[in-house]
Amino acid sequence: MNKTIEEFGERVASAWQGMRPTTKRLVERALQTSLTAIPYDARAEWELCRLLAALEDRAKEAKGNLNAEQIEALMRMADACAAILHTQARSAESFELLFTRALRAKDFKKVDELADSLLTRLALSEISELARSNNVMIRAIAFETLAQAPTSALVQLLNDPVDAGVARIALYIQAEEYGSEEARWVIEAIEEAAEVELDS
């Protein structure tokens, strides 16, 4: 395995060498069989996310300097990492990678599966981070998800200077597209407070 990894280039090799043995075994198992349920491990998620990003970048530049067999091995490893993350991811960074892969492959079933799991797997602050993605499709998915969150949870995000703008947009979506009276009341209160601040 190490010899194959080295053929993928320095960044992939570095990501692989930085992984704990338990995470490496997880990838090796995923390459051989379909994984059964595995316990969540935040460190493993970070390591897998780092390796997948390196593999994805290498795949983009692979033409011309890797042969067909090496490219196939590289893609199999990327698919194995993505398969583990698909069931384990709990961070915006992991979900962004998974969404990007699925959208690039036009695998809309996987996009829907990922979108459906956002509210149960990510904190609202992580979904807010996705709502600031450079990818317009990922932003749209994140805002649609946030609009389905309880209004009271979005109100709590208003206290965070980083997430407040995203929370306001999600509240507007709740009020306008979902007809939420609670969200409309919150928006009116925000606008009134802004007017008072301008007048003072």
Side-chain angles (χ1 to χ4, degrees):
M1 174 65 84
N2 286 336
K3 184 176 184 300
T4 305
I5 294 290
E6 284 168 13
E7 291 173 353
F8 296 157
E10 190 178 324
R11 186 175 165 206
V12 174
S14 173
W16 179 257
Q17 287 160 6
M19 292 169 81
R20 295 168 300 161
T22 51
T23 312
K24 287 180 182 177
R25 283 195 295 274
L26 199 57
V27 174
E28 288 163 353
R29 272 183 26 223
L31 282 164
Q32 292 163 6
T33 60
S34 58
L35 286 171
T36 52
I38 50 175
Y40 176 67
D41 179 338
R43 173 89 182 270
E45 179 184 355
W46 179 82
E47 290 171 345
L48 288 163
C49 195
R50 185 169 172 253
L51 178 59
L52 179 57
L55 289 163
E56 290 284 302
D57 286 348
R58 186 68 179 106
K60 286 178 201 165
E61 60 191 41
K63 288 177 184 166
N65 52 19
L66 288 180
N67 63 39
E69 189 179 322
Q70 289 171 323
I71 291 171
E72 185 183 345
L74 185 141
M75 294 315 299
R76 279 185 62 240
M77 180 166 273
D79 289 343
C81 290
I84 302 166
L85 287 172
H86 189 72
T87 61
Q88 293 288 303
R90 301 282 188 281
S91 72
E93 184 182 7
S94 295
F95 268 90
E96 178 137 20
L97 269 173
L98 293 172
F99 273 124
T100 300
R101 287 186 101 238
L103 288 165
R104 188 170 56 243
K106 294 184 169 48
D107 187 345
F108 298 113
K109 183 180 176 202
K110 190 153 280 184
V111 170
D112 287 344
E113 285 173 6
L114 289 165
D116 289 344
S117 68
L118 282 176
L119 274 178
T120 57
R121 304 239 312 262
L122 291 187
L124 289 189
S125 58
E126 292 285 321
I127 302 174
S128 294
E129 190 175 327
L130 286 176
R132 294 189 291 274
S133 168
N134 291 329
N135 185 309
V136 67
M137 294 291 291
I138 295 173
R139 286 201 307 270
I141 291 165
F143 276 116
E144 185 65 28
T145 302
L146 286 168
Q148 295 169 43
T151 302
S152 57
L154 293 175
V155 168
Q156 290 178 4
L157 285 181
L158 292 172
N159 297 319
D160 186 314
V162 175
D163 294 332
V166 167
R168 274 196 294 276
I169 294 169
L171 286 163
Y172 275 106
I173 295 170
Q174 275 191 346
E176 298 303 318
E177 295 183 22
Y178 291 95
S180 167
E181 287 302 318
E182 187 182 3
R184 189 167 284 115
W185 180 85
V186 172
I187 288 164
E188 287 171 3
I190 291 169
E191 289 172 349
E192 284 174 17
E195 283 175 19
V196 169
E197 196 173 317
L198 281 172
D199 291 341
S200 60

